[in-house]
Amino acid sequence: MPYDEGLAQRIREILVDYRGIVEKKMFGGMAFMLNGNMLCGIIGEDFIARLGPGNYEIYLEKAHTRKFDLTGKPMKGFVVVSPKGYEDDSDLSFWIKTCISFATSLPSK
């Protein structure tokens, strides 16, 4: 399934001032890496947020989110945000900044 290139461009614009960002094809979509760690991604039109295993369940209470499950076993620490959950730039920026908070807590690879 191709990923939403428009969403990818919006993510790039938010991440433009960050060093250590690399794009990588993953999960049949696109992932954005920060210092070698997955930051966030896109599968189809869905935004994949890596928030960490310690607090991601809090974010599942937000509208337009669900667990990230590709294999029948949800991936702890990841949340899928449907298009309505990131349609405003401020919403997408919130998700990305939350992902950055977690990713910067990890050691660089």
Side-chain angles (χ1 to χ4, degrees):
M1 166 185 283
Y3 62 91
D4 183 338
E5 184 56 47
L7 175 56
Q9 186 56 38
R10 289 176 62 203
I11 294 169
R12 288 180 194 112
E13 290 170 7
I14 292 169
L15 295 175
V16 70
D17 293 327
Y18 288 89
R19 293 178 181 240
I21 299 292
V22 173
E23 296 180 26
K24 184 176 182 180
K25 293 197 181 213
M26 286 178 102
F27 307 120
M30 174 66 72
F32 291 83
M33 314 294 281
L34 176 60
N35 299 322
N37 295 296
M38 184 176 169
L39 175 66
C40 61
I42 310 166
I43 296 178
E45 294 182 336
D46 291 330
F47 177 78
I48 311 302
R50 184 177 186 197
L51 306 168
N55 63 359
Y56 85 106
E57 289 181 341
I58 295 166
Y59 295 102
L60 287 171
E61 296 173 10
K62 292 183 83 54
H64 313 294
T65 62
R66 66 182 186 279
K67 291 181 180 180
F68 183 41
D69 183 352
L70 289 175
T71 64
K73 182 178 178 188
M75 292 180 67
K76 287 188 178 183
F78 291 82
V79 172
V80 177
V81 183
S82 66
K84 288 206 180 270
Y86 65 78
E87 66 187 348
D88 291 336
D89 287 342
S90 62
D91 293 330
L92 182 59
S93 184
F94 163 81
W95 285 113
I96 292 172
K97 288 179 181 181
T98 305
C99 293
I100 289 168
S101 261
F102 175 69
T104 56
S105 74
L106 300 171
S108 297
K109 290 184 177 179

